[in-house]
């Protein structure tokens, strides 16, 4: 009888320490199995083999079922991994999981602040001045321009209505244009 089979029998018998002994013995094989399963997945899978192994292992140990040896255990592990991957795929396709949205690499996204016409030092000084005159408008600009939030998102954070945020955004943009010398900085491109 192999060590794995012996420990599986102990787990079935209700020995709480047996589960701790099992993982080090089967970890590398489970990791290899998880890597093979993940290699079959479509690109964009964010689950790593280690996380898949841990989640599958927890499910297996919690089941407290009788395994007929090592082969049966690894078959059950493969099935647990399959179910985890299917659950994740279903969640991703659901509206709550972002179904219909496509994952993009942030390194490929152009920042809002790019452009040769933008003087960040002058903008920072203008924002400091606006902060002294109207702190909420300055915060709105920071949320919109630097954090990339929409007016609605910024309004929620600031605790104001969307229409108030729209009005203050329009005012702050005009104020900043005048303060920055009448130019049209990138700040006006994000209504």
């Amino acid at each position: 009888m192999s060590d794995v089979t012996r420990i599986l029998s102990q787990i079935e018998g209700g020995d709480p320490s047996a589960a701790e002994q099992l993982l080090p013995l089967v970890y590398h094989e489970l990791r290899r199995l998880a890597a093979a399963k993940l290699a079959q997945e479509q690109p964009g899978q964010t689950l790593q083999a280690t996380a898949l192994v841990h989640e599958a292992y927890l499910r297996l140990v919690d089941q407290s079922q009788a395994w007929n040896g090592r082969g049966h255990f690894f078959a059950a592990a493969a099935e647990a991994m399959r179910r985890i991957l299917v659950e994740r795929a279903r969640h991703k396709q659901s509206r709550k999981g972002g179904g219909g949205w496509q994952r993009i690499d942030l390194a490929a996204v152009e920042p809002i602040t790019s452009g040769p016409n933008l003087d960040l030092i002058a903008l920072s000084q203008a924002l400091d001045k606006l902060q002294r005159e109207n702190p909420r408008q300055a915060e709105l600009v920071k949320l919109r321009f630097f954090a990339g939030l929409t007016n609605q998102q910024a309004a929620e954070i600031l605790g104001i209505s969307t229409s108030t945020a729209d009005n203050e955004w329009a005012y702050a943009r005009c104020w900043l244009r005048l303060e920055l010398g009448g130019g049209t900085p990138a700040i006006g491109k994000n209504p």
Side-chain angles (χ1 to χ4, degrees):
M1 177 183 280
S2 74
D3 287 343
V4 173
T5 305
R6 181 181 49 78
I7 293 172
L8 289 172
S9 296
Q10 290 174 345
I11 291 172
E12 182 183 340
D15 182 359
S17 65
E20 294 173 14
Q21 297 170 18
L22 180 62
L23 186 58
L25 293 175
V26 297
Y27 182 79
H28 293 293
E29 279 188 71
L30 287 176
R31 181 97 168 55
R32 186 180 49 77
L33 183 61
K37 289 276 186 200
L38 289 172
Q40 297 170 357
E41 291 294 306
Q42 293 183 1
Q45 175 61 261
T46 58
L47 186 64
Q48 295 180 349
T50 303
L52 182 57
V53 167
H54 290 203
E55 191 168 340
Y57 184 78
L58 288 174
R59 288 186 184 193
L60 289 170
V61 173
D62 285 345
Q63 287 179 358
S64 301
Q65 70 178 28
W67 289 292
N68 298 329
R70 179 185 183 94
H72 187 229
F73 174 79
F74 282 102
E79 178 63 17
M81 288 181 196
R82 182 190 69 79
R83 288 182 180 179
I84 291 165
L85 292 171
V86 168
E87 287 170 10
R88 286 183 61 91
R90 284 187 179 137
H91 178 74
K92 279 185 176 181
Q93 287 178 349
S94 72
R95 183 177 181 151
K96 187 175 182 180
W101 291 93
Q102 185 177 12
R103 184 176 290 278
I104 60 170
D105 184 14
L106 283 178
V109 176
E110 285 293 321
I112 295 174
T113 59
S114 67
N117 298 346
L118 183 61
D119 181 354
L120 285 176
I121 296 171
L123 177 59
S124 178
Q125 291 170 346
L127 276 174
D128 289 343
K129 187 174 180 182
L130 181 60
Q131 181 77 33
R132 288 187 297 272
E133 293 182 25
N134 193 322
R136 188 170 69 193
Q137 287 180 1
E139 288 303 311
L140 178 64
V141 170
K142 291 173 190 175
L143 291 170
R144 292 292 316 274
F145 186 71
F146 292 103
L149 300 181
T150 64
N151 257 0
Q152 184 177 1
Q153 293 166 330
E156 288 175 16
I157 290 172
L158 294 172
I160 59 176
S161 70
T162 304
S163 61
T164 300
D166 290 340
N167 292 338
E168 291 194 0
W169 173 244
Y171 177 85
R173 279 183 22 220
C174 292
W175 188 93
L176 285 169
R177 278 194 188 120
L178 291 173
E179 191 66 26
L180 294 171
T184 53
I187 201 163
K189 293 183 180 177
N190 193 6

